Amino acid sequence: MADKRIYIFDTTLRDGEQTPGVSLGADDKLEIARALAKLKVDVIEAGFPVASPGDFAAVRKVATQIKGPVIAALARASRNDIHEAYEALKYAEQPLIHTFLATSDIHMEYKLKMTRAQVLSHISEAVRYARTLVDEVEFSAEDASRSNWDFLCMAYSQAIAAGATVINVPDTVGYMVPEEFAKLIVYLRENITDVDSVRMSVHCHDDLGMAVANSLAGIGAGALQIETAMNGLGERAGNAALEEVVMALATRKDYFGCVTGLDTQQIYRTSRLVSTLSGILTPPNKAIVGDNAFAHESGIHQHGVLNNVETYEIMRPESIGIKKSRLVLGKHSGRHAFEERLQELGYQCSEERIHELFMKFKELADRKKTIFDEDLEALITEKTTEIYEKFRLLSHQVISGNEAMATATVRIETDHGIIEKACAGSGPLDALFNAIAASMNQDIVLKDFQLKAVTSGEDALGEALVRVERDGRIYSGRGISTDIIESSAKAYLQAVNKLCAASGTVAANVGVN
């Protein structure tokens, strides 16, 4: 019997962006969408157009420029939302409107304040209207896992009758366990009218750590599509991780009897890109894409792997695109070789962008003996959206020692002049961050700071990730440099810039000298 084809619906750009502290600009979304298209996911959910003008613009940019996958946009079950989704999607090669409405009693009573009859009516109206605009419509029953099963069957039957082509079963709050979720899928398949005329999808959250297990249980029970996010990003504890779902199906094909259309060798590169642009570091023990996923420290394990890799590796690192770092370019390399290497790494850049990157590469080559692929990727993904560059670091100086309080001085350029501030701190980075915050005249809380080497060696690029908070909102920043103080300053300033941009702060408010 032929293997069952499973569709991968990726929601990194929509649900993944709802991760606290993650805010992707239109260019960031386009960069990730290109990687997802190269990965060959079936559907890219590009965003929630009605949420903001920025999200609308980002969805339209992805819909216009990305070819191959279906491009989806989320819309509540309202005519206005659906119209906005269509306007953002209408230039897509294959557009899909994804509309949703809650069906659990707790949501209907406390959030929607609607009766079951009203909910069914809204579902029919929304799906029917969406089908007048596009050929592909997906309906999701929000909080399906806590809904009455018979009412859920009625809701999906209404959606199918109105023209839905995909029905999605979300475990919105990550409540179910695999055996229970499988029973739900079986029940739905047995009791929804005309269920075989549509594709059934599952969308599982990880609140109890079972998003991937529940998704795979749903496939085992007859679903044909899994909704995932790269690196498991998403609301609260996140979504089912694309890399885990796909590699589980590939590695245990003997058990699941399923195949996807993905090019798994693009997984690692896509994971790194998403981690970099989202500002969310991948834990070293993360399945599939973590730094330790293919590392062996135990002597017994090492001995086994040296004799036969299958003793402790159930998949090869090459299967997800991991290869040994190698020297690719040096300070004497020309632009042609540089551009060719970017293409080999899978990046498509404009002439202007290539020129900008080449200048940065030359600067790095003067400071670093060996340039690895990871260094080039770090340079490529270091770019920031224009809105985040209202304040630019001109210079910094830090004085620190074990017998004196650390002090830092920064000079920051704005559109209205130069700001210069000096502050003390409990250490060099604390002093530096205090000086930047003082320059912005902002009350900022540092929530998280992480620093790691991009590659090996004493002259390795240092990658700093900073997360700051104000008024309950989190903003992230990233910086790279061979100088870890400089990379930390860049990361902190980028995070604060995002904060200022979101709150409308202008240079006039920060005391320009």
Side-chain angles (χ1 to χ4, degrees):
M1 191 171 73
D3 293 320
K4 185 167 65 172
R5 171 72 158 87
I6 301 302
Y7 293 81
I8 300 298
F9 178 115
D10 183 85
T11 187
T12 304
L13 301 181
R14 198 277 300 171
D15 203 333
E17 195 194 14
Q18 292 173 211
T19 303
V22 174
S23 180
L24 300 172
D27 288 340
D28 294 334
K29 283 198 170 190
L30 184 60
E31 192 78 40
I32 293 172
R34 285 196 182 110
L36 292 170
K38 198 173 181 68
L39 180 60
K40 297 184 180 178
V41 300
D42 297 289
V43 184
I44 297 174
E45 188 169 43
F48 192 4
V50 80
S52 71
D55 218 24
F56 180 95
V59 173
R60 173 167 283 191
K61 198 165 193 174
V62 171
T64 304
Q65 298 192 37
I66 299 300
K67 308 301 179 186
V70 171
I71 306 300
L74 188 69
R76 289 168 298 192
S78 75
R79 195 175 186 89
N80 180 61
D81 275 32
I82 293 168
H83 175 74
E84 286 294 297
Y86 171 70
E87 287 298 317
L89 284 174
K90 64 183 180 182
Y91 300 112
E93 188 177 65
Q94 301 179 78
L96 180 148
I97 292 175
H98 178 194
T99 188
F100 71 96
L101 192 63
T103 53
S104 66
D105 290 336
I106 191 168
H107 275 246
M108 288 188 287
E109 180 179 355
Y110 293 101
K111 187 180 78 170
L112 300 179
K113 300 189 184 303
M114 293 167 61
T115 65
R116 288 184 174 183
Q118 289 173 319
V119 166
L120 294 176
S121 176
H122 272 69
I123 291 171
S124 294
E125 291 174 10
V127 173
R128 188 171 290 110
Y129 176 56
R131 273 305 301 268
T132 67
L133 303 173
V134 295
D135 292 332
E136 295 292 322
V137 175
E138 175 173 326
F139 170 72
S140 288
E142 186 183 7
D143 207 22
S145 59
R146 294 192 298 171
S147 299
N148 174 277
W149 288 17
D150 290 330
F151 178 64
L152 198 55
C153 290
M154 294 171 64
Y156 286 127
S157 296
Q158 288 276 71
I160 293 171
T165 55
V166 181
I167 56 171
N168 180 47
V169 186
D171 185 17
T172 303
V173 292
Y175 178 71
M176 283 197 155
V177 298
E179 295 81 1
E180 185 182 21
F181 194 63
K183 288 178 182 177
L184 172 60
I185 299 301
V186 169
Y187 188 86
L188 294 175
R189 289 191 55 78
E190 291 176 347
N191 292 281
I192 294 173
T193 304
D194 294 328
V195 69
D196 290 332
S197 66
V198 300
R199 185 162 70 243
M200 181 177 283
S201 178
V202 294
H203 178 120
C204 299
H205 278 262
D206 208 34
D207 297 72
L208 293 176
M210 289 184 278
V212 170
N214 281 337
S215 298
L216 295 173
I219 291 300
L224 294 176
Q225 177 173 292
I226 302 181
E227 306 202 352
T228 65
M230 203 75 223
N231 299 339
L233 294 183
E235 288 271 13
R236 303 180 314 280
N239 290 275
L242 179 148
E243 64 278 6
E244 296 179 26
V245 165
V246 170
M247 291 311 294
L249 292 174
T251 305
R252 294 306 313 274
K253 184 179 174 182
D254 61 314
Y255 179 82
F256 291 105
C258 297
V259 295
T260 69
L262 270 66
D263 177 1
T264 63
Q265 291 188 358
Q266 296 296 321
I267 285 177
Y268 187 66
R269 173 185 170 261
T270 308
S271 170
R272 283 178 56 85
L273 179 68
V274 169
S275 176
T276 296
L277 294 182
S278 67
I280 305 295
L281 277 178
T282 304
N285 64 330
K286 172 75 171 63
I288 315 299
V289 293
D291 288 344
N292 295 347
F294 295 96
H296 305 278
E297 184 171 339
S298 162
I300 295 174
H301 286 206
Q302 291 172 346
H303 178 74
V305 169
L306 288 172
N307 285 294
N308 186 328
V309 295
E310 292 185 7
T311 53
Y312 289 102
E313 286 187 1
I314 59 172
M315 64 193 111
R316 301 293 294 130
E318 293 84 359
S319 67
I320 65 166
I322 295 178
K323 59 182 184 300
K324 250 185 180 177
S325 297
R326 61 186 181 89
L327 179 64
V328 292
L329 296 169
K331 64 187 296 183
H332 300 296
S333 298
R335 175 167 166 156
H336 177 74
F338 176 79
E339 187 173 349
E340 187 174 279
R341 188 61 192 137
L342 290 185
Q343 292 175 355
E344 289 176 6
L345 289 172
Y347 292 98
Q348 298 174 355
C349 303
S350 65
E351 284 295 314
E352 181 182 357
R353 180 68 179 142
I354 290 172
H355 176 74
E356 177 190 343
L357 289 169
F358 186 63
M359 292 300 101
K360 288 186 176 182
F361 160 72
K362 283 293 189 180
E363 291 173 10
L364 179 61
D366 283 334
R367 302 167 67 181
K368 193 174 187 294
K369 295 177 183 178
T370 56
I371 309 296
F372 294 93
D373 288 350
E374 289 86 348
D375 296 315
L376 296 180
E377 291 176 335
L379 286 179
I380 294 166
T381 54
E382 188 191 20
K383 67 175 183 175
T384 56
T385 308
E386 187 176 346
I387 193 173
Y388 301 150
E389 297 180 341
K390 290 182 180 294
F391 308 101
R392 298 167 289 278
L393 183 68
L394 292 179
S395 66
H396 67 281
Q397 182 175 347
V398 176
I399 300 173
S400 180
N402 65 338
E403 295 183 348
M405 179 170 284
T407 59
T409 302
V410 297
R411 294 182 73 243
I412 294 174
E413 180 185 29
T414 78
D415 295 336
H416 299 272
I418 304 296
I419 305 168
E420 187 168 340
K421 291 287 183 181
C423 284
S426 58
L429 292 180
D430 185 46
L432 181 69
F433 294 165
N434 288 343
I436 295 174
S439 300
M440 303 296 103
N441 195 25
Q442 299 290 320
D443 183 18
I444 300 165
V445 177
L446 178 65
K447 295 295 291 182
D448 188 30
F449 170 72
Q450 299 183 53
L451 185 67
K452 71 170 186 175
V454 174
T455 54
S456 59
E458 295 179 358
D459 59 355
L461 279 175
E463 178 182 33
L465 290 171
V466 166
R467 286 156 66 84
V468 301
E469 181 184 29
R470 194 186 69 177
D471 299 331
R473 293 194 63 184
I474 295 176
Y475 306 86
S476 63
R478 172 180 176 267
I480 62 166
S481 173
T482 53
D483 179 346
I484 61 172
I485 298 293
E486 182 180 16
S487 64
S488 302
K490 287 181 176 180
Y492 192 85
L493 184 61
Q494 186 183 98
V496 175
N497 266 317
K498 291 181 180 182
L499 182 156
C500 292
S503 61
T505 302
V506 295
N509 295 334
V510 295
V512 174
N513 294 330

